[in-house]
Amino acid sequence: MKKTDILRQIDAAEAAYPRISDEKYRLRFHLMPPVGWLNDPNGLCVYHDTFHVFFQYSPEAPDGSGRKFWGHYTSADMVTWEYQGTPLVTDSIWDRDGVYSGCAFTDDGDLEVFYTGNVKETGDFDYISDGRQANILYTVSKDGTNFAGKQLLLTNRDYPQTYTCHVRDPKVWKQDGQYYMVLGGRRTDEHGAVMIYTSPDKKVWFLLKEMTAKEAFGYMWECPDLFEMSGKWFLLCCPQGLPAETERYQNLYQSGYFLCEDFTLENSDYTCHPEAFCELDHGFDFYAPQTFTDGRGRRILIGWAGIPEEERYGNAPAIAEGWQHALTVPRELTFDGELLRQYPVQELDLLHGEGLSLDENVIQAAAFDLQLTLAGNDQSVRFGDDLVLACTDGLITLTFLNDTGAGRTCRRARLPKGQKGIKELRILKDTSMLEIYINHGELVFTTKYYPSDVTKTELSLTGTVCTLQLWELKKMDVQYNNKKIK
């Protein structure tokens, strides 16, 4: 189908829902789809002093059953955003069934995009070993919004025979004059793995090495991101198929990282050690994180506040309003010598409004930023009769007490380094979402949350509170064709 015809269909789908909306659960300071469905963040970058956030987008259906395109937001400061439409749609034979995840590359002067084009063949296939094309495509923009043509770089025939049809999610970078790309894959022996390719020109790619675990650690590693920071190499990926444990791997699919000791690009295949895998977020709703570096040298992470194929809980209140899912706030990554920490970028403070107090343990605001310092080993923060965050002897639990979790129940994680109590706590509460940062991002919990009254939170604290700061968070300014959509 021609791109112009697809864009007309997208315009019609977006027009079917109100663009200026006062729906109850629409978010105030998180990026979300104008209408319909959102999932993986893609193409994160800074280009010509502008932040670019692309995302997988299906405006045709909030349940995600429609075609997958790329939506696009831009910003000068990460708090004021403009929606730029759908620059990549399913208009070629290489991506006719979905513009899937990928990255942006800006080191050579243009905004170059590498992504997976999904094709599902018609017939009696399992779509694992056959029936699916996983194509790596390339396109380029001179202005950051308009992309010229598509070029096919890799197909299933270019991957090792030890891999299934599930190869996807390119991330490209440049180092010492050479180009590198990681791809996530599912091997025929049901081992998840990451392949590293190299290229002299970004067009012709050669397999360099493989990263995987000696014993199977999940059957698929999605959304790989390999980078060097503080003199260490880190591999971010999303293993699928890990058995759940009491305090780990509690989501259907996981997101985390390996600290890759003794890794170099020149060495042969690299073995990752499962015991070294560290989850990035222990909440109900986090997946497919991607990082980029900004003009200040910060490495910034944005994740999808959602989980694919999860049937144990849902988001019916949002779907009823014609949308589903969002992105996390941008988080700065730092390495403390043992752990990657995540913390909201400083720019988020620009949304601080009036300072609030906990009069009679009630917060009168739809969105707020609560920052505490604490002492002791037994602590809790309770949101009325809805949910409670508790720490007992180093075990953190986030537990929903009623149906405001839309089927979500409990998540657990243990404080690292043998710690017994929370020392510092930051809670970002949006109308229907929470991001919780413990001990300056040593542990993070992200979850959807659908309270009956989004404008008022009954909050009670146990334990020793040393300091407390509380601000209302103003709405982000988000423009859609010069009209506010939030």
Side-chain angles (χ1 to χ4, degrees), residues 188-458:
T188 55
D189 62 1
E190 296 297 283
H191 280 224
V194 167
M195 291 180 285
I196 304 178
Y197 281 77
T198 185
S199 172
D201 60 3
K202 295 172 290 189
K203 301 299 178 62
V204 180
W205 292 90
F206 304 94
L207 180 62
L208 180 66
K209 69 171 71 177
E210 180 184 70
M211 303 180 74
T212 190
K214 186 175 182 179
E215 303 295 333
F217 186 68
Y219 58 78
M220 172 73 192
W221 289 5
E222 285 196 311
C223 307
D225 191 350
L226 181 65
F227 57 85
E228 190 176 12
M229 188 171 71
S230 302
K232 301 286 187 179
W233 281 93
F234 299 88
L235 173 64
L236 272 61
C237 62
C238 296
Q240 297 183 335
L242 299 182
E245 300 179 10
T246 303
E247 298 174 10
R248 298 192 304 172
Y249 313 149
Q250 295 159 83
N251 284 333
L252 180 61
Y253 302 132
Q254 317 311 320
S255 301
Y257 68 91
F258 294 97
L259 171 57
C260 301
E261 298 285 1
D262 303 319
F263 174 86
T264 70
L265 288 170
E266 293 75 24
N267 285 353
S268 57
D269 292 353
Y270 184 84
T271 300
C272 299
H273 300 287
E275 64 273 13
F277 184 77
C278 186
E279 290 177 86
L280 283 163
D281 194 299
H282 297 267
F284 295 87
D285 297 277
F286 184 85
Y287 198 68
Q290 187 175 110
T291 73
F292 68 103
T293 53
D294 70 353
R296 295 165 51 185
R298 297 179 297 177
R299 184 160 290 273
I300 297 172
L301 177 147
I302 297 176
W304 171 32
I307 290 285
E309 303 171 20
E310 178 56 78
E311 296 179 353
R312 293 171 295 176
Y313 51 83
N315 302 292
I319 293 173
E321 296 179 355
W323 64 279
Q324 187 175 188
H325 298 312
L327 300 179
T328 67
V329 299
R331 303 171 177 179
E332 182 178 359
L333 285 182
T334 56
F335 181 57
D336 67 6
E338 296 182 53
L339 297 170
L340 281 180
R341 296 174 183 249
Q342 307 164 73
Y343 210 65
V345 294
Q346 187 177 7
E347 287 86 341
L348 193 71
D349 294 351
L350 296 172
L351 294 177
H352 281 175
E354 180 183 358
L356 302 175
S357 60
L358 269 179
D359 292 336
E360 298 182 353
N361 292 335
V362 174
I363 302 175
Q364 299 283 355
F368 59 78
D369 181 355
L370 174 64
Q371 300 182 27
L372 304 169
T373 59
L374 305 167
N377 296 338
D378 294 314
Q379 305 141 331
S380 69
V381 180
R382 185 182 179 105
F383 287 66
D385 295 326
D386 297 340
L387 74 156
V388 60
L389 175 78
C391 175
T392 303
D393 200 28
L395 179 65
I396 307 294
T397 57
L398 178 66
T399 307
F400 278 92
L401 307 173
N402 57 26
D403 61 4
T404 56
R408 293 162 179 83
T409 53
C410 183
R411 288 288 180 267
R412 302 175 181 87
R414 189 161 292 278
L415 287 170
K417 307 175 186 178
Q419 299 172 91
K420 299 301 182 181
I422 298 172
K423 299 175 183 178
E424 187 264 349
L425 178 66
R426 184 172 184 181
I427 298 177
L428 301 179
K429 189 267 182 182
D430 210 331
T431 49
S432 56
M433 189 167 155
L434 293 171
E435 293 191 45
I436 300 169
Y437 299 84
I438 296 172
N439 293 345
H440 210 79
E442 288 184 340
L443 289 182
V444 184
F445 290 78
T446 299
T447 186
K448 308 289 179 56
Y449 167 47
Y450 300 100
S452 57
D453 186 348
V454 300
T455 65
K456 183 176 73 173
T457 301
E458 296 181 9

Side-chain angles (χ1 to χ4, degrees), residues 95-253:
D95 61 6
R96 70 181 186 218
D97 295 312
V99 180
Y100 278 19
S101 289
C103 68
F105 177 84
T106 61
D107 286 6
D108 293 342
D110 295 328
L111 200 165
E112 301 171 90
V113 162
F114 301 79
Y115 72 94
T116 306
N118 183 51
V119 176
K120 293 185 73 174
E121 299 166 6
T122 303
D124 184 17
F125 302 111
D126 65 6
Y127 298 107
I128 299 172
S129 60
D130 55 13
R132 182 187 296 273
Q133 298 177 31
N135 302 310
I136 304 304
L137 303 182
Y138 168 90
T139 186
V140 61
S141 174
K142 299 289 186 181
D143 61 7
T145 54
N146 298 292
F147 288 83
K150 296 177 179 180
Q151 183 176 345
L152 179 65
L153 301 182
L154 295 170
T155 71
N156 295 56
R157 295 186 298 274
D158 299 304
Y159 313 132
Q161 293 183 353
T162 52
Y163 279 77
T164 68
C165 298
H166 284 256
V167 175
R168 53 182 172 267
D169 309 336
K171 182 72 184 294
V172 173
W173 76 100
K174 186 178 183 180
Q175 189 163 332
D176 299 326
Q178 190 76 2
Y179 301 100
Y180 297 91
M181 173 172 62
V182 285
L183 289 172
R186 177 176 183 170
R187 296 193 332 195
T188 55
D189 62 1
E190 296 297 283
H191 280 224
V194 167
M195 291 180 285
I196 304 178
Y197 281 77
T198 185
S199 172
D201 60 3
K202 295 172 290 189
K203 301 299 178 62
V204 180
W205 292 90
F206 304 94
L207 180 62
L208 180 66
K209 69 171 71 177
E210 180 184 70
M211 303 180 74
T212 190
K214 186 175 182 179
E215 303 295 333
F217 186 68
Y219 58 78
M220 172 73 192
W221 289 5
E222 285 196 311
C223 307
D225 191 350
L226 181 65
F227 57 85
E228 190 176 12
M229 188 171 71
S230 302
K232 301 286 187 179
W233 281 93
F234 299 88
L235 173 64
L236 272 61
C237 62
C238 296
Q240 297 183 335
L242 299 182
E245 300 179 10
T246 303
E247 298 174 10
R248 298 192 304 172
Y249 313 149
Q250 295 159 83
N251 284 333
L252 180 61
Y253 302 132

Side-chain angles (χ1 to χ4, degrees), residues 29-31 44-46 49-53 73-82 292-296 298-302 328-332 343-351 476-478:
F29 62 91
H30 287 90
L31 285 176
L44 307 181
C45 65
V46 178
D49 298 321
T50 298
F51 293 94
H52 291 258
V53 172
Y73 284 110
T74 58
S75 175
D77 58 8
M78 288 192 285
V79 293
T80 299
W81 295 88
E82 184 173 356
F292 68 103
T293 53
D294 70 353
R296 295 165 51 185
R298 297 179 297 177
R299 184 160 290 273
I300 297 172
L301 177 147
I302 297 176
T328 67
V329 299
R331 303 171 177 179
E332 182 178 359
Y343 210 65
V345 294
Q346 187 177 7
E347 287 86 341
L348 193 71
D349 294 351
L350 296 172
L351 294 177
M476 277 195 322
D477 186 9
V478 182

